[in-house]
Amino acid sequence: MEEHQKRIIKAIKYINHNLDADLSLEKIAEIGMYSPFHFHRIFKLIIGETLQNYIIRKKIEKSAFYLAVKKDRDIKDIYLDLGFTSHSVFSKTFRKFYGVAPSVFRNNAPETFHKILMTESKNGQKDVVFSPYIWQIENLLNWTKMNLKIEVKQLPEMNLAAVMSLGIASVETSYHVLIEWAEKKKLYPAGNVKMISVYHDSFKVTPPDKVRIHACMLLDERLEKQEGVVFPETIDPGKFIVGSGEVTLQDFEQCWVSLFLWMNERGYTMRKTFPFEIYHSNFKEHPEGKMIVDFCIPIH
């Protein structure tokens, strides 16, 4: 836990002190010693906003400081130094945070603005800025211990019937199509049927409504060919981090981030294949909307 606190705080400090430098996801993830895929999810959960939103907010806050304290400095010099490409982009973004144009803010900034910011930046006060993030990490890891059983397992080959979904909102519809197909084949309901969601895109680079998620059903035998929109898919055997627990749909993001933290903490790296979820029960049949799920990350 202490190691994750150090990594996240190191990344935040780098951002805060280098707002005019390269602040790409890849660079910040490197500073925090995470892979970009893991870091963007961890950052959002712990900080409460995306990396990009955080960077923009910090740039605008710094510009407000300069507008209030360095009144003789040209506004253009301020926004160019902070990476804004034009006055219109800077002004529009500034208005979102402060409700007025930069020039109006500068004319009305109180004399106490400078003193307040300086007080917050004293050496004895710096840790206060990071305490909410440390609490978030502690809270997340404690939640993980209480709600997930995490193991490294060797999983066998899995033969699946799959229907592709574009975006989270379409997953339920894809499962309905899959179940209708399985009912006609007399594969559903039959025994302990397992449903599996396989993630073929990263939310880091693909818009939520374009992310490819395969709604799948575990089969006893391989599906030989595509039947309509239902096609065969195989999960190769290998080593996986498996986090198992009874959770609600709202807990899923927290579960995935917990597993990434656990993986990094123990020095594992993710294989270049797809993470997936195995569902052992239906949340619609539980009074509290909970379901038993295995969250699986392929590792070396």
Side-chain angles (χ1 to χ4, degrees), residues 36-83:
F37 179 81
H38 304 141
F39 182 74
H40 89 283
R41 303 184 81 158
I42 293 169
F43 189 93
K44 183 178 179 182
L45 187 67
I46 291 173
I47 307 305
E49 59 186 320
T50 65
L51 175 64
Q52 188 62 26
N53 285 348
Y54 180 84
I55 291 171
I56 291 173
R57 179 168 62 82
K58 298 308 294 184
K59 285 187 175 188
I60 290 297
E61 288 174 359
K62 190 166 186 177
S63 72
F65 172 79
Y66 287 147
L67 289 169
V69 177
K70 301 183 178 182
K71 294 184 181 292
D72 58 337
R73 190 176 181 191
D74 192 83
I75 292 179
K76 183 177 181 180
D77 291 337
I78 293 174
Y79 72 69
L80 287 178
D81 284 350
L82 290 171

Side-chain angles (χ1 to χ4, degrees), residues 28-273:
I28 305 302
E30 179 186 349
I31 296 295
M33 294 183 291
Y34 290 101
S35 73
F37 179 81
H38 304 141
F39 182 74
H40 89 283
R41 303 184 81 158
I42 293 169
F43 189 93
K44 183 178 179 182
L45 187 67
I46 291 173
I47 307 305
E49 59 186 320
T50 65
L51 175 64
Q52 188 62 26
N53 285 348
Y54 180 84
I55 291 171
I56 291 173
R57 179 168 62 82
K58 298 308 294 184
K59 285 187 175 188
I60 290 297
E61 288 174 359
K62 190 166 186 177
S63 72
F65 172 79
Y66 287 147
L67 289 169
V69 177
K70 301 183 178 182
K71 294 184 181 292
D72 58 337
R73 190 176 181 191
D74 192 83
I75 292 179
K76 183 177 181 180
D77 291 337
I78 293 174
Y79 72 69
L80 287 178
D81 284 350
L82 290 171
F84 291 96
T85 55
S86 68
H87 185 275
S88 61
V89 172
F90 172 62
S91 183
K92 183 178 179 180
T93 308
F94 193 93
R95 281 178 179 273
K96 288 182 180 178
F97 285 86
Y98 288 99
V100 295
S103 57
V104 175
F105 180 91
R106 163 172 274 178
N107 293 335
N108 294 281
E111 292 297 323
T112 55
F113 191 81
H114 177 219
K115 295 179 181 179
I116 290 171
L117 289 178
M118 292 306 293
T119 299
E120 290 178 349
S121 66
K122 287 181 180 177
N123 290 337
Q125 301 292 326
K126 275 189 177 180
D127 288 342
V128 176
V129 177
F130 302 109
S131 60
Y133 308 143
I134 293 174
W135 180 86
Q136 277 282 65
I137 297 171
E138 292 175 346
N139 187 53
L140 174 61
L141 295 176
N142 287 335
W143 182 91
T144 303
K145 291 177 183 177
M146 295 174 61
N147 293 277
L148 286 183
K149 177 184 179 183
I150 304 178
E151 300 175 285
V152 174
K153 294 182 177 182
Q154 193 76 22
L155 297 182
E157 179 181 86
M158 297 183 211
N159 295 310
L160 311 174
V163 175
M164 189 177 74
S165 167
L166 284 178
I168 290 287
S170 302
V171 173
E172 187 171 0
T173 301
S174 296
Y175 271 113
H176 286 320
V177 172
L178 180 62
I179 289 171
E180 285 181 8
W181 170 86
E183 286 174 339
K184 291 176 182 177
K185 304 275 289 187
K186 300 190 183 306
L187 298 172
Y188 182 92
N192 190 21
V193 177
K194 294 287 192 303
M195 298 296 184
I196 299 175
S197 289
V198 183
Y199 293 87
H200 282 258
D201 285 316
S202 167
F203 286 92
K204 174 177 76 71
V205 296
T206 308
D209 62 337
K210 296 293 188 296
V211 169
R212 290 174 301 143
I213 303 169
H214 290 183
C216 304
M217 176 184 294
L218 182 61
L219 303 177
D220 292 331
E221 298 179 1
R222 185 189 298 267
L223 182 65
E224 294 301 327
K225 61 180 181 179
Q226 183 166 339
E227 299 182 12
V229 296
V230 180
F231 56 89
E233 180 161 2
T234 301
I235 295 176
D236 293 328
K239 186 187 294 185
F240 293 82
I241 293 173
V242 181
S244 305
E246 189 175 34
V247 296
T248 66
L249 292 174
Q250 288 71 34
D251 296 326
F252 275 38
E253 180 72 10
Q254 191 156 308
C255 290
W256 279 115
V257 172
S258 299
L259 287 184
F260 292 142
L261 288 173
W262 194 94
M263 182 181 74
N264 280 288
E265 195 172 59
R266 286 156 181 78
Y268 292 108
T269 55
M270 184 175 172
R271 280 187 282 129
K272 290 186 177 180
T273 185

